[in-house]
Amino acid sequence: MLEIRWHSRAGQGAVTGAKGLADVIAGTGKEVQAFAFYGSAKRGAAMTAYNRIDDQAILNHEKFMNPDYVLVIDPGLTYITDICANEKSSTKYIITTHLSKEELLAKKPDLAGKEVYVLDCIQISLDTLGKAIPNAPMLGAFIKVSGALELDFFLNAFKKVLGKKLPQKVIDANMVAIKRAYDEVK
C-alpha cells in the first residue's frame, strides 16, 4: 500500500489535491482513499490530508500512517509541524520552499540523510494561476518523484477531474503549473 501525507494550511488546496490524485488513480483500477484532518476549520489553519493507494480493498480508515511520501505545500509548516512523524526509512519528502535543498537541510537538520526534493510551489502557482494555491504544482512534483503515472496520462485525466468544476482558463493554468513543477522539482 502506498501512503501519502500532505501538510498544508486550510485554503491551499491540499484536500482538493488529495481528492484529485485519488480520482485519477481510481481511474487506473486501483483502490484509493483521500481524506483530511482539520484542527481548526478556518482558512490558514494547519491541516493534513491523506491518500492511500493499493491494488486491493483498503480496510484501514485511520488517519495514522507510515507515509511513503510527505508533501509539504506550506513552507512554514516544515519548521512548526513534525513532518517526519511516523516516517519509514524510505519516506520521500517533497517540500515547497524558495530555499535550495542545501539551505533547507541546514535549517531543518532532522531531514539530513533523508530523500528530500524541493521546489517553490507557491511561486509556481502565483506565476501560473495568479494566486497562492500550490496543490497543482505539488501534484506535478509528486508525479515526477514517484513515477506513479506518466505525466501525459496524469494531465489528461486531471483535466477531466478539473473540468467538472472549473472554467477552461483555470484548467489550462493548472496544466502549466503541473508541467512546470514536474520540470523544476530537484
Side-chain angles (χ1 to χ4, degrees), residues 156-170:
N156 288 327
F158 199 58
K159 276 183 201 175
K160 292 175 186 165
V161 170
L162 294 177
K164 297 175 187 174
K165 305 177 201 174
L166 300 173
Q168 190 62 45
K169 179 181 175 181
V170 176

Side-chain angles (χ1 to χ4, degrees), residues 77-95:
L77 294 177
T78 304
Y79 308 103
I80 62 170
T81 302
D82 185 6
I83 64 170
C84 299
N86 304 313
E87 69 184 353
K88 298 177 180 178
S89 61
S90 60
T91 298
K92 295 177 175 90
Y93 295 84
I94 307 173
I95 300 173

Side-chain angles (χ1 to χ4, degrees), residues 2 4 17-33 51-55 58 139 142-143 146-149 153-154 157-158 161:
L2 183 71
I4 304 163
K19 288 180 179 180
L21 179 62
D23 283 349
V24 170
I25 292 184
T28 69
K30 293 194 180 280
E31 297 292 321
V32 296
Q33 285 182 352
N51 288 105
R52 286 195 179 94
I53 302 164
D54 204 349
D55 293 323
I58 301 171
L139 285 168
F142 172 74
I143 295 302
S146 70
L149 298 166
F153 174 85
F154 179 78
F158 199 58
V161 170

Side-chain angles (χ1 to χ4, degrees), residues 2-184:
L2 183 71
E3 295 182 311
I4 304 163
R5 185 175 64 221
W6 301 64
H7 290 273
S8 174
R9 293 194 181 276
Q12 291 181 313
V15 174
T16 302
K19 288 180 179 180
L21 179 62
D23 283 349
V24 170
I25 292 184
T28 69
K30 293 194 180 280
E31 297 292 321
V32 296
Q33 285 182 352
F35 56 98
F37 178 75
Y38 300 87
S40 156
K42 61 183 177 184
R43 187 171 196 78
M47 52 87 53
T48 48
Y50 305 86
N51 288 105
R52 286 195 179 94
I53 302 164
D54 204 349
D55 293 323
Q56 303 172 41
I58 301 171
L59 303 177
N60 180 358
H61 296 281
E62 299 294 324
K63 75 172 186 155
F64 177 83
M65 65 170 49
N66 300 106
D68 297 285
Y69 292 90
V70 173
L71 313 180
V72 183
I73 66 175
D74 185 279
L77 294 177
T78 304
Y79 308 103
I80 62 170
T81 302
D82 185 6
I83 64 170
C84 299
N86 304 313
E87 69 184 353
K88 298 177 180 178
S89 61
S90 60
T91 298
K92 295 177 175 90
Y93 295 84
I94 307 173
I95 300 173
T96 188
T97 180
H98 67 280
L99 302 173
S100 69
K101 188 185 305 186
E102 294 73 24
E103 292 169 322
L104 175 68
L105 293 175
K107 290 183 177 229
K108 183 75 173 167
D110 55 339
L111 288 172
K114 300 179 189 324
E115 197 166 342
V116 176
Y117 299 87
V118 298
L119 75 160
D120 194 342
C121 293
I122 302 282
Q123 190 61 55
I124 292 170
S125 65
L126 286 170
D127 293 347
T128 57
L129 299 163
K131 50 185 155 182
I133 302 177
N135 59 347
M138 185 55 76
L139 285 168
F142 172 74
I143 295 302
K144 173 78 172 268
V145 171
S146 70
L149 298 166
E150 293 294 324
L151 179 61
D152 288 338
F153 174 85
F154 179 78
L155 290 170
N156 288 327
F158 199 58
K159 276 183 201 175
K160 292 175 186 165
V161 170
L162 294 177
K164 297 175 187 174
K165 305 177 201 174
L166 300 173
Q168 190 62 45
K169 179 181 175 181
V170 176
I171 294 169
D172 293 343
N174 274 280
M175 297 303 109
V176 172
I178 291 166
K179 287 182 204 172
R180 183 170 156 192
Y182 184 92
D183 291 337
E184 291 183 16

